[in-house]
Amino acid sequence: MSLKRYGVLKCKAVDSKLEREDDKSPHYQVLAKDSRDEYRLAINVKSVQAPVDLLYLVNDNFEHPITNQLLNLELGFTEIKESERKAGGIALDYIRGNFFSANQLKALPADAPGQEDDLHDIIDLFIKRSLNNQNADLYVFGEPWGPEDKADKIFGFKPGRGVHNIHMNQGSGGQFSQDNGVFQDGGLFIHFQDRNQWLAAFFAFQSQSFHTDDRTGNPIDVRVGTEPTLPTEPVTRAEVRIVGALVNPLGADSGRETVTLLNTTSSRVNLNGWSIADRLKRKLLLDGVLEPGNTIIVKLSGTDIQLGNEGGIITLLNSQGIKVDGVSYTKKDAQEQGRTIMF
């Protein structure tokens, strides 16, 4: 299963408030407008499943090739059909899109007595920067609802409509597994046009797994020794990291691009069956052994996998197909020929 409808709303923020009526599942609510309609953006700040504190990441200097695609959108909701939810498109996938490392996510309570010490305060800080700011465009990924035949319950506009599920929408178990899918994650981006600055906010539940099936988005078993275990912790420790890439070599690109890997552990790592994938999920199989503390420069064939100069992502998968590490780079990063990008 997956979300029946999914897409991105480009809009302007007009008002905001924290909904406290539902203590089990409170939301930070944003009133937004496009050129014609009003919308309510419902951002979860607490989980109904334990642990209840949400995971979040806010990057106020966000750089990723997806921003170039967002700039081409018109105001309003753009639906992304299931056939379009795939690598290389505009749909979000926290795991496969390399927007951040899972260990960057932090858990925060929904509400706490101090200032800037809960999720409500964090969201309020960046939303307030965009309120009634004509230079600020919001791009909100999630599931739409409406139009309804009644007024919105929070802001009172009619007909009620909006966007929810503005969080990771895969890796869930139990009653929420019906919404699992790949390339359908929610999130919020703000573009401050006057200084060409991007802010990105990502949200996930601690009960969700960051190891998911490439087809269904369901949690997958990861074997530790001989016993299968279901990973519920999003933080993974990468034993091998992508530390550099030559994506724009001198001369012709084909067959001269490279990716540099580092073994961060104290043990040898057998790379047989591992692979490197590009933004379209084309893969190059690896082999050999990487000694502890050593690096290896992987030469790309130019036929199996390609790293574009307009920006892209690079993903490292182990022999079980599990993502070990992932990075992204922009057109600006790749503009200088012969320069290795460091991550």
Side-chain angles (χ1 to χ4, degrees):
M1 298 291 290
S2 59
L3 298 181
K4 292 182 179 179
R5 296 186 65 199
Y6 171 74
V8 54
L9 172 67
K10 181 177 180 178
C11 57
K12 303 283 188 180
V14 178
D15 195 7
S16 65
K17 64 173 64 175
L18 175 65
E19 176 194 24
R20 301 177 185 271
E21 295 178 3
D22 187 353
D23 183 59
K24 290 185 178 180
S25 183
H27 292 72
Y28 185 93
Q29 308 281 5
V30 180
L31 174 62
K33 291 183 178 180
D34 60 17
S35 56
R36 184 185 64 181
D37 298 316
E38 292 178 298
Y39 302 82
R40 174 163 57 89
L41 315 178
I43 306 173
N44 291 77
V45 293
K46 186 178 181 180
S47 174
V48 297
Q49 289 185 331
V52 298
D53 295 344
L54 254 67
L55 297 166
Y56 86 98
L57 171 65
V58 176
N59 182 347
D60 61 3
N61 191 25
F62 180 70
E63 294 184 341
H64 191 279
I66 196 174
T67 58
N68 292 330
Q69 298 183 67
L70 295 180
L71 288 174
N72 294 326
L73 298 178
E74 300 292 335
L75 284 171
F77 186 79
T78 298
E79 184 162 355
I80 305 174
K81 301 184 182 301
E82 285 196 53
S83 60
E84 301 170 327
R85 303 176 197 176
K86 57 187 178 181
I90 200 171
L92 290 191
D93 191 303
Y94 286 9
I95 299 168
R96 295 160 186 83
N98 295 353
F99 296 101
F100 56 86
S101 297
N103 57 13
Q104 292 179 275
L105 292 164
K106 306 298 180 185
L108 267 187
D111 208 4
Q115 293 184 343
E116 300 181 23
D117 59 354
D118 57 49
L119 195 52
H120 162 250
D121 291 342
I122 297 298
I123 298 174
D124 195 56
L125 280 173
F126 65 76
I127 289 295
K128 287 291 175 59
R129 291 166 56 187
S130 65
L131 288 179
N132 298 303
N133 182 348
Q134 290 305 306
N135 286 315
D137 289 326
L138 270 65
Y139 297 83
V140 187
F141 287 84
E143 184 177 30
W145 80 81
E148 302 172 321
D149 59 357
K150 59 183 178 180
D152 181 73
K153 70 175 185 177
I154 301 297
F155 296 106
F157 63 88
K158 189 175 181 179
R161 58 162 56 86
V163 179
H164 65 158
N165 285 335
I166 307 171
H167 49 67
M168 190 166 84
N169 293 306
Q170 59 181 307
S172 297
Q175 60 178 315
F176 298 106
S177 61
Q178 62 183 356
D179 291 334
N180 285 338
V182 297
F183 293 99
Q184 57 158 34
D185 287 333
L188 191 153
F189 299 77
I190 303 176
H191 181 220
F192 297 97
Q193 303 171 33
D194 52 347
R195 52 185 181 273
N196 194 27
Q197 177 188 5
W198 287 86
L199 179 148
F202 306 101
F203 308 95
F205 300 102
Q206 293 190 63
S207 57
Q208 291 176 308
S209 171
F210 270 68
H211 298 300
T212 64
D213 183 90
D214 281 336
R215 182 178 58 86
T216 65
N218 290 330
I220 57 177
D221 289 342
V222 176
R223 291 190 176 275
V224 179
T226 59
E227 296 297 322
T229 60
L230 186 65
T232 56
E233 292 296 329
V235 178
T236 58
R237 186 176 180 181
E239 53 186 0
V240 179
R241 299 289 302 273
I242 302 170
V243 294
L246 177 60
V247 304
N248 187 9
L250 294 171
D253 284 8
S254 181
R256 303 180 65 178
E257 299 165 338
T258 65
V259 173
T260 304
L261 305 178
L262 167 68
N263 180 358
T264 66
T265 73
S266 58
S267 304
R268 305 173 80 197
V269 176
N270 186 343
L271 296 179
N272 290 334
W274 287 46
S275 62
I276 292 175
D278 62 14
R279 65 186 293 267
L280 297 180
K281 300 307 173 189
R282 295 171 297 202
K283 297 178 181 178
L284 174 69
L285 286 176
L286 306 179
D287 57 21
V289 173
L290 185 53
E291 298 292 335
N294 281 11
T295 59
I296 183 174
I297 297 178
V298 179
K299 295 181 179 180
L300 308 186
S301 66
T303 55
D304 296 325
I305 181 174
Q306 292 182 344
L307 304 180
N309 296 341
E310 298 298 311
I313 66 173
I314 310 168
T315 304
L316 178 65
L317 306 170
N318 66 16
S319 57
Q320 287 79 45
I322 302 299
K323 176 181 173 180
V324 174
D325 195 22
V327 297
S328 66
Y329 63 92
T330 66
K331 180 179 180 180
K332 181 180 178 181
D333 294 328
Q335 66 184 1
E336 184 180 342
Q337 275 197 328
R339 176 179 173 269
T340 295
I341 302 170
M342 302 303 295
F343 302 106

